[in-house]
Amino acid sequence: MFRYSNRYIFRTWKHPAFYMWNVNNVSDWNKFNQSLDGLLSNLRENASFGNSRLKFAVGDTNYASSTRIYGLVQCTPDLTEVQCRNCLDTAIGQIPNAFLGKQGGRVIGPSCNIRCEIYQFYEIPPPPSSPPPPVTAPPPPITTNLVPPTGGSNKVRNIIIIVASTVCFVILIIFIFIFLKLRKPKEKLESADEIGADALQLDFSTVKAATNNFSNDKKLGQGGFGSVYKGKLTGGQEIAVKRLAAGSGQGDLEFKNEVVLVAKLQHRNLVRLLGFCLEGQERLLIYEFVANASLDKFLFDPVKRLYLDWEQRYKIIGGVARGLLYLHEDSRLRIIHRDLKASNILLDEEMNPKIADFGMARLFIMDQTQGNTSRIIGTYGYMAPEYAMHGQFSVKSDVYSFGVLLLELVSGQKNSCFCVGETEEDLISFAWDSWRAGSAANMIDPTIASAPRNEIIRCIHIGLLCVQESVTARPTMTSVVLMLSSLSITLPLPSKPAFFVHSSVEAERPMLADHSAGESNASHSASSNFSRNYVSITDMDPR
């Protein structure tokens, strides 16, 4: 991979994407896509865990009785583990646009790429030869003392050395035993104090039986920290079990963090924790089962999106806003979620939203306004700029993420790859340009075009207020809930959003010299219009 640019390119993984595809179709796309999704998910994890010299993985999986799918994923080594995973997630999400129904294809971005085919298109290097066995030095020669003992003084000295050594060894063993004995109750007490939910602890055997030994047919999905399984307890209650991967970044600290937080939270728009399991290397979280999976499964699917009319989307927007308001203001502790996104919003049978995944959340005391961290975790595209660049987070960080989510609900597209015809733009930049040009209606999802236009435009306005670059200019969730519930409140003018991009992705488009046989290629360009016409929407009510 070779790349150069007149702009800073390191640790930047925003796509423009370059697509190539195999001209042949598959007979059963759903089965093919299911196998491909599992393969690419595993390869994504392997590649993202790579080092600073190599972030690359290849592999294959079964598709039909005599057919296999071969896959390759790669990130530029300057990306962090999280950036690589997010970049590959974005590339994998482009598959429906790139080669839906085809036997193979490529999605190639500036910092990562993926490829799959039903034939092996890569070579597997031979394993390195085993090193020769180490040469061991010959044992030292055994010498015999030929000097006769000089008397009883040496014998007494030897006895004293042996007795002293034995006493020291016994004392050391006793000290270690006492230390471990005292340490175990302390750890147990700390664990109980931190979790504070012993009544919620379940036996591993109970959860294992409920999920049929974590079988694949019970698997609901897989994330960066492990897999989620559907299960049923002996009483018939359906549950969702989050099983943390042994090598995941979420260790005991994050595990206890999530248990402490979720066990104490009670709100109709937050997912409910039913129990947990902490046994050996196993870390399990047992949640209520939410029937309709996550919001992204509907919103970003061209077929399922039809189930989300404007009334339904507006209900989801309001529910998420009330859930965040509870976390920020109404719960016993002020909580910053730090990873609010479409895939962390679950939908129940009545399509009511529930905020999930509190592994990244942070506790604030009620009068604390902001915090700092050197460990940046979350999902790029939803991160507020002050958090992504400086590690500063506050309730306004969640407000920024909510604004991105709101714009996604209005447009029906992902923030990282918003498409207008043949053009691919950044969602926030397009929304800001359209707003200033007085053409905000251009970003509305066509499936909700018949909905009340003033409500949708007002939501775009609120979304732009939430993603403003200035932290102090962003509204609180209290203000957001009021703006959503009352059309009589006059909204202020939004200022420039964070990460606003003036130019189009055409300024840096990937170029390929290799065009494999049987593949076509397509590239995407965009043009951006810029206007200085500041416009605000005001609902006039007589006093």
Side-chain angles (χ1 to χ4, degrees), residues 303-373:
V303 177
K304 291 184 179 180
R305 186 187 304 166
L306 300 176
Y307 292 105
L308 296 178
D309 57 16
W310 174 243
E311 182 180 356
Q312 188 62 61
R313 297 189 197 197
Y314 198 73
K315 181 172 75 170
I316 292 173
I317 292 170
V320 174
R322 287 189 296 273
L324 278 181
L325 176 60
Y326 171 79
L327 294 176
H328 292 177
E329 303 293 342
D330 299 334
S331 63
R332 189 167 61 89
L333 298 170
R334 175 173 290 174
I335 298 170
I336 314 299
H337 189 279
R338 292 204 300 171
D339 197 24
L340 185 72
K341 56 184 177 181
S343 59
N344 283 341
I345 306 298
L346 305 183
L347 302 174
D348 65 11
E349 309 84 27
E350 299 176 355
M351 301 295 282
N352 293 309
K354 292 179 179 288
I355 302 174
D357 202 341
F358 289 83
M360 306 296 185
R362 290 290 293 267
L363 289 173
F364 271 15
I365 57 178
M366 290 311 294
D367 59 349
Q368 187 177 358
T369 57
Q370 76 171 35
N372 291 76
T373 181

Side-chain angles (χ1 to χ4, degrees), residues 223-357:
F225 287 143
S227 302
V228 180
Y229 299 85
K230 181 181 179 181
K232 182 179 288 187
L233 297 175
T234 52
Q237 183 178 12
E238 291 186 317
I239 58 175
V241 180
K242 180 180 178 182
R243 187 185 193 187
L244 303 184
S248 71
Q250 187 168 12
D252 290 349
L253 178 61
E254 287 87 352
F255 177 82
K256 293 175 183 178
N257 187 32
E258 188 159 0
V259 172
V260 169
L261 291 181
V262 185
K264 296 178 180 179
L265 300 178
Q266 297 292 331
H267 192 274
R268 67 189 302 265
N269 295 119
L270 303 181
V271 70
R272 186 162 58 96
L273 181 74
L274 301 177
F276 70 95
C277 178
L278 184 62
E279 184 173 321
Q281 296 298 317
E282 293 290 347
R283 303 287 186 271
L284 306 177
L285 294 166
I286 297 90
Y287 292 99
E288 62 176 322
F289 176 71
V290 182
N292 284 319
S294 55
L295 173 61
D296 62 317
K297 304 297 183 185
F298 284 83
L299 187 60
F300 304 137
D301 186 286
V303 177
K304 291 184 179 180
R305 186 187 304 166
L306 300 176
Y307 292 105
L308 296 178
D309 57 16
W310 174 243
E311 182 180 356
Q312 188 62 61
R313 297 189 197 197
Y314 198 73
K315 181 172 75 170
I316 292 173
I317 292 170
V320 174
R322 287 189 296 273
L324 278 181
L325 176 60
Y326 171 79
L327 294 176
H328 292 177
E329 303 293 342
D330 299 334
S331 63
R332 189 167 61 89
L333 298 170
R334 175 173 290 174
I335 298 170
I336 314 299
H337 189 279
R338 292 204 300 171
D339 197 24
L340 185 72
K341 56 184 177 181
S343 59
N344 283 341
I345 306 298
L346 305 183
L347 302 174
D348 65 11
E349 309 84 27
E350 299 176 355
M351 301 295 282
N352 293 309
K354 292 179 179 288
I355 302 174
D357 202 341

Side-chain angles (χ1 to χ4, degrees), residues 111-152:
S111 296
C112 68
N113 66 84
I114 63 172
R115 183 182 181 187
C116 68
E117 297 287 354
I118 61 171
Y119 61 87
Q120 186 171 320
F121 55 88
Y122 53 81
E123 294 182 0
I124 301 177
S129 58
S130 58
V135 179
T136 57
I142 301 176
T143 59
T144 304
N145 186 9
L146 300 179
V147 180
T150 58

